[in-house]
Amino acid sequence: MIKTLVVDDDFAVAGLHRRYLQGMEHFEVVGVLERGAGVVPFVQSGEVDLILLDVHLPDLTGLEVLAQLRAAGSDAHVIMITANNERDAVRQAVGHGVEDYLVKPFTVDEFKQRLALYAQRVLEQPEKAER
């Protein structure tokens, strides 16, 4: 199972992402956060394989959260899910090793397709399959 943390300041959007994931094979939602400050402690306190991370959060940007995660030594995978498609933001996210960058608005089918492709990639890796 891919243990997934959803981080989005809009509780309705976070709820949708949670429901989409709960209906997909290979994913388990282990938490939902609406602020960036709690992400690093949450990741450090338990097993998180994947973070669905919004760029626009009320306290920190998703890019700041991503930088904090990497500075803390976290190798959790991150998929940015955001309305922000500015070239600079995409470049920063890619520079911190995000797995994908999904721009809102998107369809449920697109969400599920991108996450299924992610699952296929990581589950083919031997170290991931052993978890």
Side-chain angles (χ1 to χ4, degrees):
M1 291 298 273
I2 299 169
K3 296 178 187 313
T4 307
L5 172 63
V6 177
V7 182
D8 197 301
D9 65 321
D10 185 327
F11 73 92
V13 171
L16 286 174
H17 295 167
R18 178 185 201 126
R19 281 194 299 280
Y20 297 162
L21 286 168
Q22 288 173 332
M24 294 182 68
E25 187 177 12
H26 305 301
F27 290 93
E28 175 188 356
V29 177
V30 295
V32 177
L33 297 174
E34 296 176 6
R35 303 178 70 77
V39 174
V40 172
F42 188 97
V43 170
Q44 290 176 331
S45 71
E47 191 174 319
V48 174
D49 302 313
L50 173 64
I51 303 165
L52 301 184
L53 181 60
D54 190 3
V55 169
H56 299 290
L57 299 170
D59 55 345
L60 300 167
T61 69
L63 296 170
E64 290 170 327
V65 172
L66 183 56
Q68 288 180 0
L69 282 164
R70 298 308 182 230
S74 172
D75 63 353
H77 291 167
V78 175
I79 295 177
M80 302 300 289
I81 298 187
T82 181
N84 187 343
N85 65 351
E86 296 172 9
R87 189 176 304 232
D88 235 17
V90 174
R91 190 175 305 130
Q92 286 181 45
V94 169
H96 284 294
V98 296
E99 294 294 314
D100 205 347
Y101 201 99
L102 189 55
V103 179
K104 298 174 190 175
F106 48 81
T107 65
V108 176
D109 289 340
E110 184 178 2
F111 178 93
K112 289 183 175 184
Q113 180 183 26
R114 298 282 277 280
L115 273 289
L117 287 171
Y118 164 80
Q120 182 180 6
R121 277 194 320 268
V122 300
L123 293 174
E124 288 175 357
Q125 299 171 357
E127 66 276 4
K128 186 67 174 184
E130 292 173 5
R131 281 191 175 182

